[in-house]
Amino acid sequence: MNWNDFFFGVYPYIAGTIFLGVSLVRFDRDQYLWRSESSQMLRTGTLRWGSNLFHIGIIGLFFGHLFGLLTPLAFFEALGLEPHDKQIIAMVTGGALGVLIFIGLVLLIWRRLSDPRIAANTKPMDWVTLLWILATLLLGLSTIFVSAQHTDGAEMLELMDWAKHIVTFQGIQAAGYIQNASWLFKVHIFFGLTLFLIFPFTRLVHIWSGFASVGYLLRPWQLVRSKR
């Protein structure tokens, strides 16, 4: 097994297992620490702009990656979109959402650096998380310039094949699809996978609660009985 097979055929499952397994253990054992640990009470200031821009961008980018990588090509062809068209759409929308995340992240980082009280309440893992997301984002934005040099969609199709084989548990075969991909794409993927690996050790676990809150909409009616 070579390094390409390990990082892009085996490592995704290591990261995924830790992501799910440790999240479950932490929810079971440390529910009182299962929170976003918001610093809003210390100072609002740039938090509103930074947090909103970051969350809008990151949610859009997450589902954009999910939809773009895992949706069958036949779906786009049915809409009259060629691989070239899909790549251009991905570059434009991904770039726009990436800029929103970047502005939001810079505001959030600056807020933690410039306010002594917030800085004192910032844990080392908070800095690891913020800087890791920033590095992953900058790598992703850098791939736009690589993609712009060949807009035929060929490399994009290879990345789609890789993702589809990963989610269908064909890891080693998946790694072969990006054997010759640009190193920028590979480093970006590695950083993205590692973000899932460190996820359950950070305050990012509060994202699970966001997904779980959808169940609130489906809850049964609460019966309130009068004592009369």
Side-chain angles (χ1 to χ4, degrees), residues 33-48:
L33 298 177
W34 188 282
R35 59 187 187 272
S36 63
E37 300 182 46
S38 174
S39 57
Q40 184 176 1
M41 293 184 64
L42 297 177
R43 192 186 80 178
T44 302
T46 55
L47 176 63
R48 180 176 300 173

Side-chain angles (χ1 to χ4, degrees), residues 10 21-22 34 47 65 79 93-94 108-109 121 166 193 200 216:
V10 177
V22 178
W34 188 282
L47 176 63
H65 276 69
L79 297 177
T93 56
L108 293 175
I109 291 173
N121 283 276
I166 287 295
L193 292 172
Y216 181 79

Side-chain angles (χ1 to χ4, degrees), residues 52-99:
N52 286 340
L53 289 173
F54 173 77
H55 283 88
I56 291 171
I58 205 76
I59 291 171
L61 209 57
F62 173 77
F63 286 105
H65 276 69
L66 201 66
F67 179 79
L69 289 172
L70 298 179
T71 303
L73 190 60
F75 174 83
F76 298 102
E77 292 174 344
L79 297 177
L81 297 175
E82 299 293 331
H84 162 80
D85 304 316
K86 181 180 181 298
Q87 179 170 322
I88 296 299
I89 292 173
M91 290 167 59
V92 174
T93 56
L97 291 170
V99 170

Side-chain angles (χ1 to χ4, degrees), residues 118-193:
I118 298 176
N121 283 276
T122 301
K123 300 175 182 178
M125 204 59 187
D126 295 334
W127 288 119
V128 171
T129 304
L130 286 170
L131 295 177
W132 198 272
I133 293 175
L134 180 60
T136 306
L137 173 67
L138 292 176
L139 286 165
L141 289 173
S142 299
T143 63
I144 295 176
F145 299 100
V146 176
S147 298
Q149 297 174 13
H150 45 80
T151 58
D152 58 354
E155 194 160 28
M156 177 197 67
L157 294 178
E158 292 178 345
L159 293 171
M160 290 175 66
D161 286 331
W162 171 79
K164 290 170 186 175
H165 280 76
I166 287 295
V167 299
T168 53
F169 301 100
Q170 303 175 69
I172 300 302
Q173 187 177 351
Y177 284 102
I178 57 173
Q179 177 76 44
N180 300 316
S182 167
W183 67 270
L184 262 177
F185 282 106
K186 290 185 175 183
V187 178
H188 175 58
I189 291 172
F190 170 76
F191 268 67
L193 292 172

